[in-house]
Amino acid sequence: MYFGITVKALLSYCVAILSIALAPLAVADITSEADAINIAGKQRMYTQRMLKDYVLIGLNVRKRKAQDELDDAISNFEGNLSQLEAYVQKSNAQLDLSGVQQLWQNLKPVYLKAPDKKAVETLRKDTEQLLKASHEAVLSLQAHSKSAPGRLVNLSGRQRMLSQRIAALYGLGIWLNSDQYVSLYEQASTEIDTSLNQLSSEKTNTSEINSKLKKARRQYKRLITSAGADKDATALVARSAEKMFERMNEITSLYATQASQ
């Protein structure tokens, strides 16, 4: 007995709680084309977040947080994929997700293993293919929507991915002690800068969107400043990238809501 509870009863209770915790989460329905573009856009971001977290774990930088974030990214990527597949089945969207599925099935086992410095460049290249396939899915959904708001959801949502991409590339350079990722890093940085200018010039922006874009611009400058430090600033870059993601995720949600009205 333990405080009036038998060991058998206590074990049964623990098993029940564990079963609930491990049960798959219910998949919510995608309610609009803008929502579908937003969800598909998050898939791009998750490819880079998984790579970033894999690298952070390998570097032993914010390791516990990175592991939790990686686990969530894996779960969310699969959940979003299920949502998109259900959406395709019930709508007229011409979207083939088989390529994404195949690439993901090959990559998932690698992300579930402990980080391997010798294998990380191969992982990066394979993840790049998953990113491209996920981006094509977004473009297909945007083409199907044929709306200007859908374009803004895509453009804004892509900045979420780029924030994670910058942090991943920075960490890779530190882990492998290599400058081979500089050009990719600079390309991502330039794209964020250009896209923020484009979004800020949109005449359909609400005052709330414009205000948040100004904050995103300031956060982008902090991210670039952190990455430009002379010493290893991996932890600082990761934190700045996450704040940049949060800003752009809020803005993308606002564009998605605006597009659905």
Side-chain angles (χ1 to χ4, degrees), residues 86-99:
Y87 175 75
V88 169
Q89 291 177 4
K90 72 177 183 179
S91 70
N92 294 321
Q94 299 299 310
L95 180 61
D96 183 5
L97 293 168
S98 60

Side-chain angles (χ1 to χ4, degrees), residues 40-129:
K42 283 185 179 180
Q43 297 297 78
R44 294 178 300 199
M45 181 276 294
Y46 282 127
T47 68
Q48 301 305 288
R49 173 167 282 187
M50 287 186 281
L51 179 61
K52 177 202 71 177
D53 290 326
Y54 184 96
V55 171
L56 290 178
I57 295 168
L59 284 167
N60 199 27
V61 173
R62 305 172 82 216
K63 189 173 182 178
R64 180 176 296 179
K65 179 175 177 56
Q67 184 62 64
D68 290 342
E69 197 175 82
L70 176 58
D71 293 341
D72 286 343
I74 290 171
S75 176
N76 289 334
F77 188 90
E78 292 197 319
N80 286 350
L81 197 53
S82 295
Q83 287 189 63
L84 289 167
E85 287 177 330
Y87 175 75
V88 169
Q89 291 177 4
K90 72 177 183 179
S91 70
N92 294 321
Q94 299 299 310
L95 180 61
D96 183 5
L97 293 168
S98 60
V100 175
Q101 278 282 19
Q102 185 59 57
L103 288 166
W104 173 237
Q105 292 308 314
N106 293 336
L107 268 174
K108 181 182 177 181
V110 182
Y111 277 116
L112 291 175
K113 295 178 182 178
D116 182 353
K117 187 175 182 178
K118 294 180 180 179
V120 71
E121 174 55 16
T122 298
L123 176 63
R124 184 196 70 80
K125 290 179 178 178
D126 291 343
T127 300
E128 194 78 359
Q129 294 305 309

Side-chain angles (χ1 to χ4, degrees), residues 2 11 16 19 25 38 51 60 71 76 122 170 179 185 203 212 222 252:
Y2 185 75
L11 286 173
S19 297
L25 295 175
N38 186 18
L51 179 61
N60 199 27
D71 293 341
N76 289 334
T122 298
Y170 181 90
D179 293 331
Y185 166 86
K203 295 181 180 180
K212 289 184 179 295
R222 293 190 189 100
T252 305

